[in-house]
Amino acid sequence: NAGVTQTPKFQVLKTGQSMTLQCAQDMNHEYMSWYRQDPGMGLRLIHYSVGAGITDQGEVPNGYNVSRSTTEDFPLRLLSAAPSQTSVYFCASSVTGGFGTEAFFGQGTRLTVV
Amino acid sequence: AQKVTQAQTEISVVEKEDVTLDCVYETRDTTYYLFWYKQPPSGELVFLIRRNSFDEQNEISGRYSWNFQKSTSSFNFTITASQVVDSAVYFCALSEALPMEYGNKLVFGAGTILRVKS
């Protein structure tokens, strides 16, 4: 059972480049989200989706776009990478958007912007 | 606004020592969930426990135990007889009761790095 799969695992970008971090889950979960992890700050919510076709902003959405065309996939797009976006990115899913539902996390993508 | 504080940035212990990781939270809700996650050196996030605000019973799972005290807004995590494999970053997180359309948002603490030396 694959669970939540993120690709790539590592990426180096130059300032100004764009890229898409991929996230796919095979558990038929309605709710998906993206977090970034920075030292001393824990994980912070970037964007989330409560179902296909529905997305919304989290705590730190600037510089990122998302879409949810299928239940399985929730890509995160960096429009014009900046050094401040150097971070570890985690995708998570849960059965529903109901609070308290256990979240399943991907393995993370370590992004460096130079 | 909700907030989770893990005041211990890093803890080092010697194998077999007991260690407690502190978590203090702030919320105006009476209904919420608290979580602990483990992040080993490999980087993934491993779910450890979920506790709802109406259940203040302490929980024990093997060498792990959790002490939930609403009176002090704390949800502390104790590892008994620590082992080298317990070395990891541990995160405490809070999920407040929100309408479904706002999703299952987790607010994380900054994390505590636990180093267990042999």
Side-chain angles (χ1 to χ4, degrees):
Chain A
N1 197 356
V4 180
T5 303
Q6 290 183 235
T7 54
K9 287 188 168 49
F10 302 94
Q11 184 70 49
V12 178
L13 285 180
K14 293 183 179 178
T15 298
Q17 285 185 317
S18 62
M19 80 159 294
T20 299
L21 307 185
Q22 301 291 344
C23 175
Q25 53 91 7
D26 62 358
M27 298 174 282
N28 202 31
H29 284 177
E30 290 183 5
Y31 182 78
M32 297 184 74
S33 55
W34 277 101
Y35 290 85
R36 59 176 289 173
Q37 179 184 6
D38 301 294
M41 303 189 76
L43 281 76
R44 292 177 294 168
L45 182 65
I46 305 172
H47 283 285
Y48 66 95
S49 169
V50 297
I54 307 169
T55 64
D56 208 342
Q57 297 180 352
E59 181 185 355
V60 288
N62 292 342
Y64 307 96
N65 271 357
V66 291
S67 60
R68 183 100 180 268
S69 55
T70 67
T71 300
E72 295 77 21
D73 300 300
F74 190 45
L76 178 72
R77 281 182 289 278
L78 279 71
L79 309 173
S80 177
S84 60
Q85 294 179 303
T86 293
S87 187
V88 180
Y89 292 84
F90 285 96
C91 179
S93 73
S94 53
V95 171
T96 71
F99 84 102
T101 311
E102 181 184 343
F104 295 80
F105 286 85
Q107 297 272 41
T109 295
R110 185 173 293 274
L111 175 68
T112 302
V113 182
V114 297
Chain B
Q2 61 272 36
K3 184 179 177 182
V4 176
T5 301
Q6 294 180 256
Q8 303 150 309
T9 303
E10 186 169 336
I11 302 174
S12 288
V13 299
V14 177
E15 213 170 13
K16 297 184 184 176
E17 284 186 19
D18 298 347
V19 58
T20 295
L21 309 182
D22 297 334
C23 173
V24 175
Y25 61 92
E26 296 175 27
T27 176
R28 285 176 286 192
D29 270 350
T30 57
T31 305
Y32 50 89
Y33 278 85
L34 294 163
F35 298 80
W36 276 95
Y37 282 88
K38 174 183 179 180
Q39 186 178 43
S42 51
E44 74 273 22
L45 285 161
V46 178
F47 167 82
L48 295 178
I49 190 172
R50 173 180 56 193
R51 171 68 71 213
N52 76 55
S53 54
F54 297 108
D55 182 1
E56 284 194 76
Q57 278 193 337
N58 292 333
E59 177 144 348
I60 298 173
S61 176
R63 297 184 297 107
Y64 295 172
S65 62
W66 290 270
N67 180 258
F68 178 28
Q69 291 195 336
K70 287 177 73 171
S71 60
T72 56
S73 296
S74 64
F75 187 42
N76 296 337
F77 172 33
T78 297
I79 302 174
T80 302
S82 60
Q83 299 176 2
V84 173
V85 294
D86 296 325
S87 297
V89 183
Y90 290 86
F91 291 100
C92 181
L94 167 70
S95 174
E96 286 188 328
L98 294 171
M100 190 77 78
E101 60 266 30
Y102 292 102
N104 181 24
K105 297 179 182 177
L106 291 170
V107 175
F108 284 83
T112 297
I113 301 170
L114 174 64
R115 302 191 198 279
V116 182
K117 303 174 185 176
S118 58

